[in-house]
Amino acid sequence: MKKLLILLAILPFMVNTSFSQSYPEEAMSIGFQVTQGEYGYGPIVNYAISKDLHIGTQIGLYYDTGYENKGGIEVLKSNFFFYLAPYAKYYFKNIKNFRPFIQGQFAIFTVEDKVNGSPVSSTTGRYDGNSIWINVGGTWYPFNNVGINAGMRFLDFNLDKSWMRAGLGNPFIGIEWYI
């Protein structure tokens, strides 16, 4: 935790403080992204093949636990979700310091739900699967080597169960630092 706080404290000194309209070309980035909904929080690692095409991967983790009242019985319910999602992101023509993008991801995930009741009953559901996600969004570059991205999942196609969700769901926001 101390190392993270030190990194956050010196980050402003490590980035170029002038506003720039140049974008990373052939640079690696590390970042962090938060996704709302059933998908979790996690780091991003990517490589800019060119200024328009980036490839990388995202790792996500989500865990929650709490009590739930089911028919007058208090039960402890917990959810765990983990995914690994390699991606390719294509950037469209820039608008000053902003670049819209479309991103395709292949997600490998596991979901586990557990319910513990009283007196002594326990049920666990586990599901492993694969999905193809199509995200749309944009990245704002306040500095030459920092990008702040946001968007929404436009398409979620589950390969194992053969179902599809389309629409503007699971918004996300993230920050990437290009080194």
Side-chain angles (χ1 to χ4, degrees):
M1 185 68 174
K2 283 175 87 177
K3 290 180 182 179
L4 179 64
L5 292 174
I6 291 169
L7 178 64
L8 290 174
I10 64 172
L11 186 63
F13 300 105
M14 295 167 59
V15 296
N16 182 359
T17 57
S18 64
F19 287 88
S20 172
Q21 290 190 19
S22 62
Y23 304 97
E25 286 188 54
E26 298 183 16
M28 190 176 116
S29 77
I30 55 174
F32 186 80
Q33 182 165 306
V34 175
T35 304
Q36 179 274 333
E38 63 199 314
Y39 304 107
Y41 321 102
I44 300 169
V45 177
N46 84 23
Y47 179 75
I49 295 175
S50 70
K51 70 177 186 175
D52 295 333
L53 182 63
H54 295 195
I55 59 171
T57 193
Q58 180 179 0
I59 298 170
L61 180 64
Y62 174 76
Y63 178 78
D64 75 353
T65 186
Y67 287 95
E68 183 178 310
N69 190 345
K70 286 197 167 214
I73 298 173
E74 287 289 316
V75 295
L76 177 65
K77 182 177 181 180
S78 63
N79 298 308
F80 172 76
F81 185 81
F82 173 79
Y83 68 89
L84 175 68
Y87 67 85
K89 185 188 297 186
Y90 179 78
Y91 286 96
F92 296 100
K93 187 176 179 182
N94 61 309
I95 306 164
K96 295 191 180 187
N97 292 19
F98 179 79
R99 298 206 64 199
F101 66 78
I102 186 166
Q103 176 179 333
Q105 289 183 276
F106 176 73
I108 303 163
F109 59 86
T110 185
V111 179
E112 186 173 297
D113 296 321
K114 188 172 188 178
V115 177
N116 292 319
S118 182
V120 182
S121 65
S122 178
T123 59
T124 300
R126 182 184 172 112
Y127 170 64
D128 298 320
N130 302 306
S131 284
I132 294 176
W133 299 335
I134 305 295
N135 301 323
V136 294
T139 302
W140 173 55
Y141 292 93
F143 308 108
N144 190 28
N145 57 348
V146 173
I148 299 170
N149 62 56
M152 295 194 168
R153 177 145 316 121
F154 182 71
L155 181 70
D156 183 350
F157 180 71
N158 187 303
L159 297 171
D160 298 320
K161 303 286 186 185
S162 296
W163 56 259
M164 181 173 72
R165 274 189 263 180
L168 299 176
N170 290 334
F172 60 87
I173 187 165
I175 185 166
E176 295 176 336
W177 173 43
Y178 292 87
I179 51 177

